[in-house]
Amino acid sequence: MELRSLAAELSGNPYPGRGIVVGVSEDGKSAVTAYFIMGRSANSRNRIFVQDGEGIRTQAFDPSKMEDPSLIIYAPVRVLGTNTIVTNGDQTDTVWEGLQKGQTFGQSLRCREFEPDGPNYTPRISALLSVREGTFEYRMSILKSADGDPSSCERFTFDYEHPKAGVGHFIHTYISDGNPLPSFEGEPTKVGISGDIDAFTDLIWKNLNAENKVSLFVRYINIETGRYESRIVNKNQGGAV
């Protein structure tokens, strides 16, 4: 698969929706993940990311303007031991609970489908990063309707063992803007990962559509020690926190 520019993938798409990037830093020392959200409605745009333990959750920026919290308030990132779970919905909790029961990443998601937001039927995208004893591997998943038909759910899981330095994969909910919104298709896009955490955060934030972007989370996890550092950028707060 061709290695693509993450900046170009983002800047060339006005509405990728919600997106997950996972891979290895350019120097090979860190497991990298990023999660961003975008919004077209006032309700979707009225959000920020806040730290929640070792993970994050979404929160209304102005609680008085919150309309329907059902699909927009959730914990996108949770940590369980040496595993970091990143998803675009409350299936973060489903994976977290499944792993505790001894289920695999794929098994834990068998009870879930795409979001019930017809006619879009937004895909549920998820990732699991496993950093242990100086090694790193990751998995990604997408649960989507069959060409917009809510009677059929398509399930795809992608495993990445011994990932290479400077390489990652990018999966997002929509191919582009539209009504209804067209769901992501194919394998996660192979993209380059460059720079330290601040440079990588800046690259993603600057290339997301200025009108539609809402929040961004980035984490670098040291593969040898398991220690991590994170960045959060919220449009509603005007910068990083």
Side-chain angles (χ1 to χ4, degrees), residues 80 83 85 95-105 108 128:
L80 180 63
N83 296 306
I85 306 157
V95 175
W96 191 85
E97 291 164 3
L99 293 178
Q100 285 195 310
K101 295 175 183 177
Q103 295 178 338
T104 66
F105 176 60
S108 67
L128 178 68

Side-chain angles (χ1 to χ4, degrees), residues 91-203:
Q91 74 269 25
T92 309
D93 299 333
T94 305
V95 175
W96 191 85
E97 291 164 3
L99 293 178
Q100 285 195 310
K101 295 175 183 177
Q103 295 178 338
T104 66
F105 176 60
Q107 288 172 339
S108 67
L109 287 166
R110 290 297 303 177
C111 64
R112 303 306 301 268
E113 290 188 346
F114 44 83
E115 294 182 355
D117 62 338
N120 297 317
Y121 301 111
T122 299
R124 290 189 186 274
I125 55 174
S126 309
L128 178 68
L129 292 75
S130 299
V131 176
R132 58 175 66 90
E133 298 178 351
T135 66
F136 170 50
E137 62 183 23
Y138 60 96
R139 295 165 177 81
M140 305 183 91
S141 164
I142 182 167
L143 311 178
K144 55 180 290 186
S145 67
D147 300 315
D149 180 354
S151 69
S152 179
C153 180
E154 299 178 339
R155 303 171 181 276
F156 302 93
T157 302
F158 308 90
D159 291 5
Y160 303 95
E161 298 179 355
H162 310 294
K164 297 180 179 180
V167 177
H169 290 87
F170 173 37
I171 193 168
H172 47 98
T173 50
Y174 310 124
I175 295 173
S176 62
D177 205 347
N179 284 299
L181 288 157
S183 293
F184 181 89
E185 295 180 348
E187 294 182 37
T189 305
K190 186 177 178 181
V191 295
I193 294 180
S194 60
D196 61 14
I197 187 170
D198 291 314
F200 191 61
T201 300
D202 189 57
L203 179 148

Side-chain angles (χ1 to χ4, degrees), residues 1-237:
M1 181 183 291
E2 176 188 0
L3 184 68
R4 299 183 182 178
S5 160
L6 180 58
E9 291 294 308
L10 294 173
S11 63
N13 188 345
Y15 201 67
R18 285 164 275 172
I20 300 172
V21 181
V22 185
V24 181
S25 61
E26 199 171 16
D27 61 10
K29 295 181 178 179
S30 299
V32 174
T33 189
Y35 176 64
F36 65 79
I37 58 174
M38 307 183 81
R40 299 190 301 178
S41 69
N43 195 43
S44 291
R45 291 176 177 179
N46 180 35
R47 288 183 291 174
I48 55 174
F49 285 164
V50 296
Q51 187 173 338
D52 185 13
E54 290 190 279
I56 61 169
R57 58 183 169 84
T58 61
Q59 178 176 291
F61 176 63
D62 184 345
S64 69
K65 294 181 179 179
M66 176 60 67
E67 297 171 10
D68 178 10
S70 61
L71 292 175
I72 64 173
I73 301 300
Y74 55 92
V77 179
R78 294 189 68 177
V79 174
L80 180 63
T82 58
N83 296 306
T84 300
I85 306 157
V86 186
T87 90
N88 72 326
D90 63 9
Q91 74 269 25
T92 309
D93 299 333
T94 305
V95 175
W96 191 85
E97 291 164 3
L99 293 178
Q100 285 195 310
K101 295 175 183 177
Q103 295 178 338
T104 66
F105 176 60
Q107 288 172 339
S108 67
L109 287 166
R110 290 297 303 177
C111 64
R112 303 306 301 268
E113 290 188 346
F114 44 83
E115 294 182 355
D117 62 338
N120 297 317
Y121 301 111
T122 299
R124 290 189 186 274
I125 55 174
S126 309
L128 178 68
L129 292 75
S130 299
V131 176
R132 58 175 66 90
E133 298 178 351
T135 66
F136 170 50
E137 62 183 23
Y138 60 96
R139 295 165 177 81
M140 305 183 91
S141 164
I142 182 167
L143 311 178
K144 55 180 290 186
S145 67
D147 300 315
D149 180 354
S151 69
S152 179
C153 180
E154 299 178 339
R155 303 171 181 276
F156 302 93
T157 302
F158 308 90
D159 291 5
Y160 303 95
E161 298 179 355
H162 310 294
K164 297 180 179 180
V167 177
H169 290 87
F170 173 37
I171 193 168
H172 47 98
T173 50
Y174 310 124
I175 295 173
S176 62
D177 205 347
N179 284 299
L181 288 157
S183 293
F184 181 89
E185 295 180 348
E187 294 182 37
T189 305
K190 186 177 178 181
V191 295
I193 294 180
S194 60
D196 61 14
I197 187 170
D198 291 314
F200 191 61
T201 300
D202 189 57
L203 179 148
I204 296 175
W205 189 247
K206 282 186 174 180
N207 284 285
L208 287 169
N209 180 272
E211 182 179 357
N212 294 323
K213 66 184 177 182
V214 175
S215 295
L216 168 66
F217 168 84
V218 177
R219 175 166 289 177
Y220 274 43
I221 307 168
N222 186 289
I223 295 172
E224 288 297 326
T225 67
R227 296 176 182 173
Y228 61 80
E229 56 178 331
S230 307
R231 300 289 184 269
I232 292 175
V233 187
N234 291 309
K235 184 178 179 180
N236 284 314
Q237 293 179 324

